[in-house]
Amino acid sequence: MDPELEAFIPLFPPANLNDPAVDRKNFADLATSVPQPDTSGMTVEDHLVPGEPDVPVRVYRPHEAQGALVWLHGGGWVMGTLDTEHPWAARLAEAAGVVVVSVGYRLAPENPFPAALDDSYAALAWTAEHAAEFGVDPARVAVGGHSAGGGLAAGVALRARDEQGPAIRFQLLNQPGLDDRQQSWSARTFTDTPWVNRAKVSSMWGHYLSGRTATQYAAPARATDLSGLPPAYVASAEFCPNRDENIEYALRLLQAGVSVELHQWPGTFHGSQAIITADVSQRQIAELGGVLRRALAD
């Protein structure tokens, strides 16, 4: 493991998702401990996307932005809010120079699948409809997310393809949760990795699915046809249960004729880029911004 990351492991709070209320508080405390970003170079506004119920979004609008990203936070479909995601959404907007629409989707177990997917898809449709108001081309809209949010982004891309929904220019999948079956080598082996391990992943999927059989929109790795999807960037962490399903999904996208950039980050663990003082984390954040900037540029 990267020694800069390993030194911070004892500071991560426990989160087994057995008590969502406690875990949400700990997650929020961790998020607020991260240095806050400088948003002086952008406009930040809260909106409500019409729906049943309405979906809160926070729009980060850098000056002279090109394109927009519908961004879906991590947290195992159980944790995370617009506020906990604020540092990362703002940094991504700044690094990429794009409008970032951060989505406050409904959380499990109170709102299991498909609530989060429905909210995310509504946010995509709203962003495409209002793109001109944000000064961006509606043909330059991407979806992306981290962890559970990465799985949601992949599910949104599949649904938009199948329902002839809003055009998606690109999908940015950072350590996404894609497969509820947990049969890969990394999913079976990583039982004591930091922050996310096999038991926690099992709890995440249990809350999200609430006893239902997963569809391809809940667990995109179950999709049998990946053709016709937007180009993708897929990032995986070496010590992460999701690692092998991330790599396999990227390979299957390639085999289906989808252009893919895959980066496996050695020495990292799931969510370790929150340790922003580490050199590898700074490179990860910069790369996410650069990839998105290129994908949405003229």
Side-chain angles (χ1 to χ4, degrees), residues 10-295:
L11 302 180
F12 276 71
N16 54 28
L17 298 184
N18 291 337
D19 188 337
V22 171
D23 290 326
R24 286 168 185 160
K25 182 183 183 303
N26 290 339
F27 189 71
D29 291 343
L30 181 64
T32 56
S33 71
V34 174
Q36 295 301 296
D38 178 8
T39 58
S40 60
M42 65 186 75
T43 301
V44 182
E45 298 176 335
D46 286 349
H47 295 267
L48 279 177
V49 172
E52 296 181 3
D54 294 345
V55 183
V57 298
R58 185 166 294 166
V59 180
Y60 300 79
R61 186 177 175 187
H63 307 321
E64 300 181 2
Q66 290 193 28
L69 169 71
V70 177
W71 180 251
L72 306 166
H73 65 77
W77 301 286
V78 174
M79 304 178 291
T81 65
L82 293 179
D83 292 334
T84 61
E85 196 61 15
H86 172 70
W88 311 110
R91 284 191 176 87
L92 193 53
E94 180 184 24
V98 304
V99 173
V100 171
V101 179
S102 181
V103 183
Y105 57 82
R106 286 171 288 171
L107 299 175
E110 297 89 344
N111 299 283
F113 177 82
L117 181 74
D118 288 344
D119 292 352
S120 302
Y121 194 78
L124 168 66
W126 180 85
T127 301
E129 180 182 350
H130 293 269
E133 298 173 27
F134 302 136
V136 301
D137 184 347
R140 300 182 188 280
V141 174
V143 295
H146 169 70
S147 189
L152 281 171
V156 165
L158 283 163
R159 181 171 166 181
R161 178 200 65 180
D162 295 344
E163 297 182 4
Q164 292 77 54
I168 297 175
R169 179 73 170 260
F170 191 72
Q171 47 182 333
L172 190 73
L173 310 180
N174 191 50
Q175 302 168 19
L178 300 169
D179 197 341
D180 63 299
R181 295 165 293 190
Q182 297 181 261
Q183 293 302 305
S184 73
W185 184 91
S186 61
R188 289 183 287 105
T189 303
F190 290 144
T191 59
D192 60 353
T193 41
W195 189 239
V196 172
N197 53 44
R198 181 176 177 83
K200 187 174 181 181
V201 171
S202 295
S203 294
M204 289 161 44
W205 282 109
H207 288 312
Y208 186 47
L209 296 176
S210 189
R212 298 175 176 87
T213 299
T215 69
Q216 65 175 356
Y217 304 124
R222 287 180 174 268
T224 57
D225 178 12
L226 300 182
S227 62
L229 290 170
Y233 170 86
V234 182
S236 61
E238 181 175 359
F239 300 108
C240 171
N242 296 352
R243 184 194 68 192
D244 293 354
E245 68 199 57
N246 294 167
I247 295 170
E248 182 180 357
Y249 195 72
L251 179 59
R252 291 184 57 218
L253 285 169
L254 282 169
Q255 292 169 340
V258 177
S259 182
V260 177
E261 180 173 352
L262 168 66
H263 195 145
Q264 154 57 34
W265 290 93
T268 64
F269 59 88
H270 191 96
S272 62
Q273 67 194 42
I275 305 169
I276 60 175
T277 56
D279 177 74
V280 67
S281 299
Q282 293 174 21
R283 290 191 290 117
Q284 285 175 288
I285 295 168
E287 181 167 289
L288 288 171
V291 165
L292 190 59
R293 182 186 296 271
R294 291 192 302 273

